[in-house]
Amino acid sequence: WLFLCLAIILTTIVISVIVFLLVRRFVHVDILRRHHELAGFVIGVLGVLYSVFLGFTIVNSQASYEKIISQVNKEAYLSADLFRITEAFPEKVRLEMRSGINAYLRSVIVDEWPLMYKRKESALTLVKLEELWKPFYDFQPANNKDEIFFAQAIQILFQFNSARLQRIYSSWSSLGPLSWTALISGGIVLLTFLFFF
């Protein structure tokens, strides 16, 4: 990343110097001075408009990022709650439930995270989620205590399902082509204007 950043900065500096020299070669300084007052006013207005748009874009991106982090945290908290509540079940069932939770979380980290960048979800993680439900489908509460903990566990599982979907679909949000076009073209117009001072 460091070399990439340095390459971008150095390339931008070289291009800027070349463009500056080309403009000064073909446009005389006296012509530029005559239009200085008007150009200064125009660039001031354009600069303010562009900075407001850029500010809104940054705030919107930050809000989207925080929403995704919130969804990831919610899923993590629910998995911890589910892991904790399995303590109330018999050992054989508890081990099966915890094994399912661990397999699902491992699949999220290894399989689903890289795919979310490509706006996809993992079919393997979905299978692991279905396998996570299986011990809960098969469990038969033996007493009142089991019924209470089982009902709570099922409620957490439903919330867990929703948190996964919200995490996936929230991660797919982006600025959109119109915003990117406005940001890039606005930046180009402002930078081009600077060469004529």
Side-chain angles (χ1 to χ4, degrees), residues 42-131:
V42 171
I43 199 167
V45 171
L46 288 177
V48 168
L49 290 175
Y50 186 74
S51 64
V52 168
F53 180 69
L54 186 62
F56 280 131
T57 303
I58 291 170
V59 168
N60 186 30
S61 296
Q62 183 65 31
S64 294
Y65 175 76
E66 287 174 4
K67 182 179 178 186
I68 292 167
I69 293 298
S70 172
Q71 296 304 331
V72 169
N73 287 339
K74 182 178 179 184
E75 188 176 15
Y77 298 150
L78 287 169
S79 65
D81 289 345
L82 190 61
F83 197 87
R84 178 75 176 165
I85 207 166
T86 59
E87 188 66 37
F89 296 107
E91 184 178 357
K92 182 176 183 262
V93 177
R94 177 176 62 243
L95 292 176
E96 193 177 350
M97 290 173 175
R98 287 184 172 180
S99 173
I101 294 167
N102 286 333
Y104 168 78
L105 293 175
R106 195 172 303 111
S107 181
V108 167
I109 294 166
V110 173
D111 302 317
E112 197 154 60
W113 278 106
L115 290 176
M116 285 171 53
Y117 175 72
K118 300 173 185 173
R119 294 179 157 233
K120 295 179 182 176
E121 58 182 300
S122 169
L124 180 61
T125 303
L126 192 56
V127 168
K128 295 295 182 188
L129 183 61
E130 291 300 321
E131 290 173 0

Side-chain angles (χ1 to χ4, degrees), residues 138-174:
D138 297 338
F139 182 70
Q140 293 293 325
N143 54 42
N144 207 13
K145 176 189 154 210
D146 284 352
E147 286 179 14
I148 292 169
F149 280 104
F150 181 70
Q152 186 65 33
I154 294 298
Q155 184 180 0
I156 292 171
L157 269 171
F158 278 116
Q159 293 174 358
F160 194 67
N161 255 4
S162 297
R164 175 182 179 264
L165 290 173
Q166 289 171 351
R167 169 181 50 85
I168 290 169
Y169 297 128
S170 292
S171 72
W172 295 357
S173 66
S174 65

Side-chain angles (χ1 to χ4, degrees), residues 16-35:
S16 297
V17 169
I18 290 170
V19 171
F20 175 76
L21 293 173
L22 285 172
V23 168
R24 289 300 164 110
R25 181 177 183 151
F26 294 107
V27 182
H28 197 270
V29 177
D30 291 335
I31 295 171
L32 296 176
R33 275 198 198 116
R34 277 187 269 156
H35 301 288

